[in-house]
Amino acid sequence: MHKLSDEQLVEELKFRLDQSRKSLHDLSVVNRKLVEMNHKLEESEALKSNFLSNIRNEINNPLNAIIGLASQLAAMVKRPEVSELVTMIFSEAFHLDFQLRNIFIAAELEAGEAMPTIEHVDVTSVVQGVLDNFRTHAADKQVSVRFSVTGAETDNVLYFPTDSQKLQVIIANLVANAVEFSGPGSEVVVQLDQTDKGLMIQVRDQGVGIAEADLKRIFDRFVQLDSGPTRAHLGHGLGLSVVKSLLDLLQGDIQVSSTPEVGSLFTVTLPAAAYGADGVTFAEGGNLFLFGQMDEK
């Protein structure tokens, strides 16, 4: 092996040191660019969050006003032809409001911003509030809705620690789904219970049912089993995917059993969640929960 002279060794060391300096410089440049890119991504996320929040308020506020006014007018107007028009305005605004809220929730879930807020929730009043909101849609479809509570503490009132707003969304989508896919003269049954596993909510319908091959697909985003230009049911295929994502967030579970042309049963189980020391109790309490006719299965 050829032995390098002292001068050659010095030159070799200088060359390698120079290469190392260049590599360190390149790494420094790359690191700086990565930091800058990360900062821009953080700014972009903040802008997206602010945009979603602002646009949600810009859309929801006027929609809420339209829905509230239409509801008041429907109660006041006596002329049938005018009452029918007011009811149509209410129904269309209600449907749009529901769709938009699911879209905003899906966006929040996608951005990782849908964090749970745990409260001591009067679940009975939450469910009843959701059902009250669907009274008009169910009546239009000639579908009756029955609600029962077991395992309640007193007077059919059941309290449970969970996120009240997310619980409303879950129940609203399941009820909307059941009503939309039920035929005239059929019944939707909502059953509320508290078991050793936690809170259990069952929504049963006597609708078109779901084929066994489709059961695994119904929670996928934008999946519509009833599709095409002649489809009988509206919706964008978001509702059940939102339900599944919210239940994952709350560490809950949903099971489905269905028979085509007989009906479907959706069973939700939620574990008790820890909530703050302030022990805030949430109840529907007359607050208008503006969710309407989400249509998908």
Side-chain angles (χ1 to χ4, degrees):
M1 182 176 179
H2 178 66
K3 186 176 180 180
L4 297 176
S5 65
D6 291 344
E7 291 81 3
Q8 289 174 320
L9 281 171
V10 169
E11 290 299 319
E12 179 70 15
L13 287 172
K14 285 182 178 179
F15 173 76
R16 296 197 176 190
L17 180 61
D18 185 54
Q19 291 297 108
S20 297
R21 285 173 177 168
K22 287 180 179 179
S23 297
L24 286 172
H25 174 73
D26 291 342
L27 284 172
S28 177
V29 171
V30 170
N31 183 65
R32 186 172 65 251
K33 288 182 177 179
L34 286 172
V35 169
E36 290 174 356
M37 185 179 296
N38 185 60
H39 181 64
K40 288 179 180 178
L41 285 172
E42 288 176 351
E43 289 182 340
S44 176
E45 284 297 316
L47 285 172
K48 183 175 70 173
S49 297
N50 289 334
F51 171 78
L52 283 173
S53 178
N54 291 334
I55 198 67
R56 179 169 53 236
N57 291 333
E58 289 297 320
I59 292 173
N60 285 345
N61 289 342
L63 261 179
N64 291 351
I66 293 170
I67 293 170
L69 291 171
S71 180
Q72 292 180 40
L73 282 172
M76 294 167 57
V77 173
K78 302 301 180 184
R79 292 172 56 186
E81 64 274 18
V82 178
S83 180
E84 184 178 351
L85 288 173
V86 173
T87 301
M88 288 175 62
I89 293 171
F90 176 85
S91 296
E92 291 298 322
F94 212 31
H95 173 73
L96 178 59
D97 181 68
F98 191 98
Q99 300 284 2
L100 287 172
R101 285 174 184 264
N102 269 329
I103 290 170
F104 287 131
I105 291 167
E108 288 178 354
L109 287 164
E110 188 72 24
E113 296 171 356
M115 295 297 103
T117 301
I118 306 304
E119 303 165 308
H120 196 50
V121 181
D122 178 353
V123 182
T124 307
S125 74
V126 171
V127 176
Q128 190 60 63
V130 171
L131 297 182
D132 288 345
N133 287 328
F134 284 97
R135 187 182 295 117
T136 299
H137 185 45
D140 288 343
K141 297 206 61 160
Q142 301 176 45
V143 174
S144 62
V145 180
R146 180 163 54 91
F147 176 38
S148 63
V149 183
T150 57
E153 297 170 7
T154 56
D155 299 327
N156 286 335
V157 178
L158 196 159
Y159 291 95
F160 193 78
T162 189
D163 186 309
S164 60
Q165 299 299 322
K166 291 174 178 55
L167 180 64
Q168 286 176 324
V169 175
I170 290 167
I171 297 168
N173 273 294
L174 293 178
V175 171
N177 199 58
V179 171
E180 179 59 30
F181 285 85
S182 294
S186 62
E187 181 182 56
V188 170
V189 179
V190 180
Q191 175 75 38
L192 186 60
D193 193 7
Q194 188 165 6
T195 70
D196 54 354
K197 294 182 179 179
L199 180 68
M200 185 174 72
I201 304 162
Q202 292 187 314
V203 180
R204 184 190 302 273
D205 65 61
Q206 298 170 336
V208 296
I210 308 165
E212 186 175 355
D214 292 324
L215 286 175
K216 292 182 179 180
R217 299 198 302 126
I218 60 174
F219 295 108
D220 294 341
R221 190 172 296 183
F222 301 119
V223 167
Q224 296 170 294
L225 302 184
D226 176 26
S227 59
T230 60
R231 64 193 178 105
H233 305 283
L234 302 177
H236 301 294
L238 266 180
L240 291 180
S241 69
V242 165
V243 167
K244 183 65 169 63
S245 296
L246 289 178
L247 286 171
D248 289 344
L249 190 68
L250 297 173
Q251 299 182 355
D253 178 62
I254 185 166
Q255 299 293 326
V256 187
S257 59
S258 185
T259 304
E261 307 306 324
V262 175
S264 303
L265 172 64
F266 287 77
T267 301
V268 167
T269 305
L270 277 173
Y275 57 93
D278 55 1
V280 175
T281 298
F282 177 90
E284 186 65 13
N287 295 324
L288 182 62
F289 176 52
L290 299 176
F291 261 92
Q293 307 145 6
M294 186 65 181
D295 317 316
E296 58 201 325
K297 185 169 279 188

